[in-house]
Each structure stands twice: as C-alpha cells, then as structure tokens.
C-alpha cells in the first residue's frame, strides 16, 4: 500500500472516530467474505458502517483522534461497527450478537458507548433490550404518566361539580319548576357561576309583623286572675 493511501485511510479513520460517539469492536477472524458482506449490509440498515481495518493504521488514527480507549481493543484482526448519530445501537448490538451465535466465529470485544469504553458483556446486554422505538415509547410513557395524573386531579372536582349541577337540574324538572331548571342550566353553562350553581337557597326565617311588647316573649302570656277580677258593688259606690 502506498504511503499516500495509508495517510488517506488514517485521516478518514481519525475523522470518523472524532464524529462517532458509539461503536462496537469485534474480531472477525474466520468469517468468510460472504458472511462479512451480509453482516455489513444488515448493519447499514440499522445506521452503522462495518469496517475491517488494519490495527497499525487504526492505532495511528485513534492516537490522532484522542480515542485512547479504543487502543486496548486492537488485538488481532479487527472490525469496527461505527454507529451514526441516527443509528440504532440496540439493533446493531443484536445483529453482532446473532452473528456471533450463528457463525460461532465472530467474537465481540467491546466498544465505546457515548464516549465511554464498555466491555463484551455490556454489548451483549444492549442486545437484550427492546427495539429503540419501543424504548422511546416506554420513556415517553414514564414521563407523561405523572402529567396525566396531575391533569386528572385538577379536572376531577370540575367533573364532580358538573355532575351536581346536572342532578339539581333534573331535580327541579321533577318538581315541576321548569323556570328554575332553565335558570340552573344557564348558570351551568356560565363558568363564572359554576362555583355557586349548586348552592341551595336558604329560606328566610318567618318573622311576625306584630310587635312584641317589651319584656315579653313571643309566646302568649299567661292570664293573671288578679288583674282581671271585677270590683264589687260596694267598692264601686265608694
């Protein structure tokens, strides 16, 4: 390989390492060309580029890119799955794990996840997760569930109030007071009056119009026999 060609490959690998936050490293030793091409085509569907590189060139590229965590994984024939920003790292991990299981040749070494090195076990754990769209739905459900609960708590008193208003309207209709029922329906449609729509009118206490003599109670006073006794004839003559 010409020196200029090596320099070009190193520069391309270094730039790809700078851009890629997540990648998986595998030992492809023993895979046929057809198996490598099939795996490469499958990973492209999941947003990853499967590249077979020489360790000498990859080491120089990793040093230039500052990807020191990758250096420890460059032992023997190496293939790297570079995952794009919109790629599905879970699907890529599944594809590598499936290939390792079916071919019994491919060996996963580890990788870099969001800039942090991970081992073979972590890659295999990623392969056991649900698909990325399912994970996103689960996260979204976990986030929106408390909001739904809050909305329910806020709207529950309003629903109860509307139910009380409707019950009062039906009660007035059964009592044969359509005018009051219509007024209640009008108040039910007015948000400003919803808070007082269900209040029962308090009947005013009946007060006698007759004045009550001072010092007496409202009850009829007892008859005083001494006060009502008629004077005798002798007392009248005197």
């Amino acid at each position: 390989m010409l020196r200029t060609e090596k320099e070009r490959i190193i520069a391309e690998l270094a730039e790809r390492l700078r851009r890629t936050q997540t990648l998986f490293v595998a030992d492809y030793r023993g895979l046929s060309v057809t198996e490598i091409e099939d795996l490469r085509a499958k990973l492209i569907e999941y947003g990853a580029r499967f590249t077979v590189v020489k360790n000498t060139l990859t080491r120089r590229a990793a040093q230039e890119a500052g990807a020191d965590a990758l250096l420890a994984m460059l032992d023997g024939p190496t293939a790297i799955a570079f995952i794009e920003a919109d790629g599905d790292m879970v699907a890529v991990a599944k594809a590598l794990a499936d290939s390792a299981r079916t071919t019994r040749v491919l060996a996963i070494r580890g990788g870099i996840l969001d800039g942090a090195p991970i081992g073979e076990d972590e890659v295999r754990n990623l392969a056991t997760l649900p698909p990325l769209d399912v994970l996103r739905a689960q996260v979204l459900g976990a986030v929106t569930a408390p909001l739904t609960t809050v909305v329910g708590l806020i709207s529950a008193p309003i629903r109860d109030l509307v139910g009380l208003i409707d019950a009062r309207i039906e009660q007035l209709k059964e009592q044969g007071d359509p005018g009051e029922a219509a007024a209640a329906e009008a108040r039910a449609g007015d948000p400003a009056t919803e808070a007082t729509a269900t209040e029962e009118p308090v009947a005013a206490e009946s007060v006698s119009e007759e004045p009550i003599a001072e010092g007496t109670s409202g009850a009829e006073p007892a008859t005083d026999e001494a006060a009502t006794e008629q004077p005798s004839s002798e007392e009248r003559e005197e």
Side-chain angles (χ1 to χ4, degrees):
M1 183 182 295
L2 297 177
R3 182 181 181 85
T4 55
E5 183 67 14
K6 290 181 180 179
E7 295 296 333
R8 183 187 65 81
I9 294 175
I10 292 172
E12 290 180 354
L13 283 174
E15 179 61 25
R16 193 178 299 176
L17 287 172
R18 293 188 188 98
R19 295 196 316 264
T20 305
Q21 292 295 312
T22 301
L23 58 85
F24 300 138
V25 180
D27 187 338
Y28 70 93
R29 185 169 25 199
L31 287 180
S32 66
V33 175
T34 301
E35 289 172 333
I36 292 175
E37 291 301 323
D38 290 343
L39 181 57
R40 178 179 287 118
K42 183 178 295 183
L43 295 183
I44 288 175
E45 296 178 3
Y46 303 138
R49 297 180 62 179
F50 191 67
T51 305
V52 175
V53 294
K54 290 186 176 181
N55 288 343
T56 55
L57 303 181
T58 306
R59 286 193 183 95
R60 290 182 56 185
Q63 291 170 351
E64 290 187 12
D68 296 337
L70 180 61
L71 296 176
M73 304 178 196
L74 302 177
D75 183 17
T78 302
I80 302 177
F82 295 90
I83 302 175
E84 302 294 338
D86 58 348
D88 188 344
M89 63 179 177
V90 174
V92 173
K94 286 181 182 293
L96 292 175
D98 290 343
S99 179
R101 185 177 62 256
T102 56
T103 64
R104 299 183 180 277
V105 173
L106 184 75
I108 300 173
R109 293 179 184 165
I112 297 176
L113 179 62
D114 290 335
I118 59 175
E120 175 188 356
D121 292 339
E122 285 79 6
V123 177
R124 292 187 179 276
N125 287 338
L126 283 174
T128 63
L129 294 176
L132 188 58
D133 55 346
V134 176
L135 285 176
R136 288 172 178 167
Q138 291 175 350
V139 171
L140 180 61
V143 171
T144 57
L147 298 179
T148 304
T149 302
V150 171
V151 171
L153 292 175
I154 294 175
S155 60
I158 299 176
R159 291 194 301 265
D160 295 342
L161 179 59
V162 172
L164 291 173
I165 294 174
D166 291 340
R168 178 56 177 163
I169 292 173
E170 293 299 326
Q171 182 184 16
L172 292 173
K173 288 181 178 179
E174 291 176 358
Q175 292 176 356
D177 193 348
E180 182 63 24
E185 290 178 349
R187 290 194 298 269
D190 185 0
T193 61
E194 285 182 355
T196 59
T198 58
E199 295 182 359
E200 294 287 347
V202 179
E205 295 182 358
S206 58
V207 180
S208 174
E209 295 181 358
E210 293 294 331
I212 300 176
E214 185 177 356
T216 62
S217 63
E220 184 178 353
T223 303
D224 189 351
E225 296 180 356
T228 58
E229 184 178 353
Q230 295 294 329
S232 62
S233 59
E234 294 181 355
E235 290 175 342
R236 284 198 301 269
E237 291 177 357
E238 290 179 355

